[in-house]
Amino acid sequence: MATEKEMHELVGRAVVDHEFRAKLMADPEQAAKEAGYTLTAEQLAALKSADGKALAQVLDEKLPKGPYW
């Protein structure tokens, strides 16, 4: 089961990495597995029902503002 932090990392990567986002939207379970995460059925369902713009919006609302690097 991915933690909330790991889910943010996974979705964050999808927002900034177009290729990964395409993989995640096409096959969330496999993309997450390749990235080193094991997702629950509920987490997979949430990813399958999302779209790229919604993911970006969720991150904007949930993650702290400020420099990350």
Side-chain angles (χ1 to χ4, degrees), residues 3-42:
T3 66
E4 184 176 347
K5 180 180 183 278
E6 290 171 334
M7 287 299 293
H8 281 260
E9 292 170 357
L10 187 69
V11 173
R13 180 174 171 191
V15 170
V16 299
D17 183 338
H18 176 74
E19 185 177 315
F20 181 72
R21 180 172 54 250
K23 288 180 183 180
L24 189 64
M25 294 294 105
D27 188 349
E29 186 170 20
Q30 184 61 32
K33 184 177 180 180
E34 289 175 8
Y37 302 106
T38 301
L39 304 180
T40 65
E42 183 178 82

